[in-house]
Amino acid sequence: MPSHHHKKNKDPHRRKHSHRHHLTSKQQGPTDEGTEAEAEGPGSDDNSSMSVEREDASSISGNGSEVGSVGSRDQGDGASAVEPNLDGANVKWAGPVRAPLLSIKTELNIPLLLLTVVAMATRMWRLEYPNSVVFDEMHFGRFASMYIRRTFFFDVHPPLGKLIIAFGAYLGDFSGNFTWERIGTDYPSAVPVWYLRLFPALFGSLLVPLTYQTTVELGYNHWTATLAGGMVLFENSLVTQSRFLLIDSFLLFFILATLLCLLKFWRLKQSPFSPWWWAWLAGTGAMLACACSVKYVGVFTVLLVGGMIFHELWKLVGDKRLSVHDLTSHFLARAGLLAVLPVLLYLLLFHLHLELANRSGPHDEMMTSAFQATLEGGLSRITKSQPVSIAYGSQITLRHTHGMFLGRPCWLHSHLSTYPVRYHDNRGSSAQQQVTCYSFKDINNWWIVKDPGRTTLYVDDPPKLIHHGDIIQLVHGTSSRALNSHNVAAPLSPYSQEVTCYIDYNISLPAQNLWRVELVDSADEGDTWKSIQSHIRLVHVNTSAALKVSGLQLPDWGFHQLEVVSDRVIQQEPTIWNVEEHKYTQVDQADVVGNNEETFNQATYEDTMDDQPLMGFLGRFAELQWKMLSTNKELQQEHKYSSSPAEWPLMERGVAYWLHPRTNAQIHFMGNPVVWWSGVVGILGYLALLGVFLVRRRRACFDMDDESWQRYILTGELVLGGWVLHYVPFFLMERTLFLHHYLPALVFKILLLAVMVENIHTHVLRWPIHRNVFSALCAVWVTCIYFTYRKFAPLTYGNSDLSADEVTDLKWLESWDLLIQVL
């Protein structure tokens, strides 16, 4: 048995303490430094050093060298402390070691570095191939071209993703002169394909390390984080979506960045209102804004984060250590940086979008006349000098304000053709002159506003302006017949009234051509009817029915134009109109209506559109938002590769992105089947284990400590909740859907699958042999993920000339519509 003296020598603390005592006793009398060293030395062992003052150099090193400072322990690696030979030296206790002012401490995470490098390689390898338009590049490439040319365009998605692509086009010195007509069109040399695809590939690559870091911040080990990152790395669908002019990689990046910032913020809950606490909270809000600014799917992330923050605040309310002032500060901080900041950033990005795309373009007509008037060229060029206030005798065109029928707006229109004597259902008509809504600008769109009490059709000097509630007649410019309605059923809408231009057939069908002007924006009697700015309803005086576009297309006898009716339900959007083009005339001749000649006297009016304020940013923003949301709901076109949400978890259908014109080389959007199908098992496994753990905890059987249990619950709330919120809402949507809409939910599913592997290994399997077998099975499973990625790589990169048999071999499910050409 070792002696007591041997034990004493083996104890490093005792050895150091006794050594210090010996050194102190060698000094000439006790000093403050020596006393402090004896008192603090043993307790400060891990973070201390000793300063040695040499009396005789040979007594310390024997070779004349001077000793500076010596660290006592290497943190965390188990190495023994450095013990220099200090016999014969004068030693003073110097206190804690201070790092040099400009020192930098670096740590190299090898798995993270490897994942990032391989992700860059898989996403950017031969990025310019194929050198032709792939799937939705046709749309997003066209938008990038319009940004370069500063041309306004309309899209159902917010602008951030398109702005990033346009920035790549700018870096590549792209002129924007490419038409993007159809999928498969070859890119000319003037199109910088590599630059256009650069940022989607870059963000798609960064998704891999972001997945790794998010897993670590959830509290799981680096093996689990490597597994999660590896599954994202070798997920074919994510690779495909990252290599082309598509915006989903931006969306996925910002969603995961939001989670990472949120988790970093929560990690600092013991240091509230510190600089890093504020930084990560602001980062969460900024990433939320960016996610919503790429696609509206980001709203589901807002719901996720909002729910988690509400839960956190509710727990803070129950913390009696916090005062009312503290709780108010916590609430205001989160409200400011998770609500106000995202809204401001969202508005800022739309402001940038409208400033860059400020010239008239092919999509102008989707917006109201007031919006179009803010764009350079186009309608603003036509209307800039026209009079503002509508007067009796004004020549006008009336545009239906809000409706988009067959993808275009329409204007109130008439022509000499009459309604058929009998309609298709054998109902009789009035046989009067047809009134329709026509989707193109035409001379027959012009009308004269007539005073019912006068026979003249010109504008007085000064003009007699029309106000809210005034009665008018509308005389068609080229036929000189008045707009009329009566109690005859409309041709396609029998529950509404027919609208005509009245022809006097000298029979018992009198004219009913009086209309009351009602301003939608204001109900004050004194308000003036103005061109561009005023939204109005024309209410038929005799029947109290409003002029309306039904949206139905007339048959051949109506030249497939849109039906116009009068409807007794007045308060509805299809009854709203506005004056677009406007002239004053002093010539009492109907045949000059709408001509471009100077038929009006400029001296008769003073207010022109040049003097009127244009629609402001908030007005344009609100209109654009409304158009985007309403158009998104109308995307219900049939598509060969559309799919339903029920088909997504098991990847029952993919999407053909590109096919080589002469071979079976093709790019088909589909995922790694092993990852997709395993993810379903991960979700079911989490729910099953949660049920088992809850029952066992109810019976006081605790399979994991409190920290692990809280981490398991947080995983369910954040990751499983994220999967639900980014998947289930698609069942409620009536628009056309594709498999790529499942990608945000897929990323959450991958995260859940990886952490379930660790939970099973740590908290379910108790015996080492079981864990070893499970680890071996996981190794086989990971190998299958990699080789499945390699097997489907020809469909991911499109760089292999596949034979018909090879394509058939890749068709693991009958529902996969892979393409085979007859060569």
Side-chain angles (χ1 to χ4, degrees), residues 363-424:
H363 297 172
D364 294 4
E365 292 181 347
M366 298 192 69
M367 312 308 295
T368 63
S369 303
F371 189 105
Q372 292 183 51
T374 65
L375 302 174
E376 295 180 10
L379 181 63
S380 62
R381 177 177 54 82
I382 298 171
T383 62
K384 64 180 181 179
S385 297
Q386 72 181 21
V388 175
S389 299
I390 311 299
Y392 289 111
S394 289
Q395 300 177 30
I396 63 173
T397 61
L398 275 171
R399 171 183 159 151
H400 190 256
T401 301
H402 295 299
M404 287 296 298
F405 306 101
L406 305 178
R408 297 182 60 83
C410 66
W411 290 263
L412 189 66
H413 176 93
S414 186
H415 39 245
L416 295 178
S417 300
T418 60
Y419 290 111
V421 176
R422 292 198 177 274
Y423 294 129
H424 65 285

Side-chain angles (χ1 to χ4, degrees), residues 236 650-654 668 670-678 783-795 805-818:
N236 299 69
L650 296 178
M651 197 175 63
E652 296 178 33
R653 300 201 68 190
H668 200 91
M670 60 186 304
N672 187 320
V674 177
V675 174
W676 284 60
W677 299 340
S678 300
T783 304
C784 290
I785 290 175
Y786 172 72
F787 281 106
T788 305
Y789 159 77
R790 290 291 302 272
K791 182 175 182 62
F792 286 93
L795 300 179
D805 290 339
E806 289 173 325
V807 175
T808 303
D809 183 55
L810 292 173
K811 191 175 181 180
W812 286 10
L813 296 180
E814 282 298 320
S815 56
W816 292 357
D817 295 326
L818 304 183

Side-chain angles (χ1 to χ4, degrees), residues 86 105 124 186 208 299 327 422 469 506 537 540 601 649 729 797:
L86 299 177
K105 181 180 180 180
M124 293 191 173
D186 290 336
V208 174
V299 173
L327 288 174
R422 292 198 177 274
N506 196 22
R537 289 187 174 96
H540 191 235
N601 184 352
Y797 296 95

Side-chain angles (χ1 to χ4, degrees), residues 489-551:
L492 303 181
S493 306
Y495 295 101
S496 299
Q497 295 176 176
E498 188 183 68
V499 174
T500 69
C501 275
Y502 182 74
I503 304 174
D504 187 0
Y505 287 127
N506 196 22
I507 58 176
S508 58
L509 190 64
Q512 300 180 32
N513 53 20
L514 299 180
W515 300 84
R516 183 172 64 253
V517 176
E518 293 188 356
L519 273 62
V520 176
D521 305 324
S522 178
D524 296 334
E525 290 294 333
D527 286 351
T528 304
W529 182 12
K530 296 180 179 180
S531 63
I532 303 292
Q533 302 172 14
S534 296
H535 294 169
I536 67 160
R537 289 187 174 96
L538 292 175
V539 179
H540 191 235
V541 172
N542 298 80
T543 61
S544 298
L547 190 70
K548 169 188 172 183
V549 179
S550 70

Side-chain angles (χ1 to χ4, degrees), residues 420-477:
V421 176
R422 292 198 177 274
Y423 294 129
H424 65 285
D425 55 0
N426 210 32
R427 286 183 294 110
S429 78
S430 65
Q432 296 279 337
Q433 182 172 306
Q434 296 176 19
V435 173
T436 65
C437 204
Y438 188 45
S439 296
F440 300 91
K441 294 189 176 183
D442 186 83
I443 189 67
N444 287 320
N445 297 347
W446 283 89
W447 302 79
I448 302 174
V449 182
K450 180 181 176 297
D451 186 345
R454 300 174 56 184
T455 58
T456 57
L457 297 176
Y458 56 83
V459 178
D460 292 332
D461 192 3
K464 184 180 179 182
L465 304 182
I466 301 174
H467 303 89
H468 175 77
D470 285 352
I471 306 300
I472 66 168
Q473 291 175 314
L474 281 179
V475 178
H476 187 235

Side-chain angles (χ1 to χ4, degrees), residues 557-573:
W557 55 258
F559 308 101
H560 301 285
Q561 296 172 18
L562 296 169
E563 180 190 41
V564 173
V565 301
S566 56
D567 195 324
R568 294 181 186 273
V569 180
I570 295 176
Q571 302 298 325
Q572 52 179 317
E573 280 193 347

Side-chain angles (χ1 to χ4, degrees), residues 269-289:
K269 61 184 178 181
Q270 301 301 330
S271 305
F273 309 109
S274 63
W276 280 111
W277 186 91
W278 283 108
W280 288 118
L281 182 60
T284 304
M287 293 301 101
L288 270 181

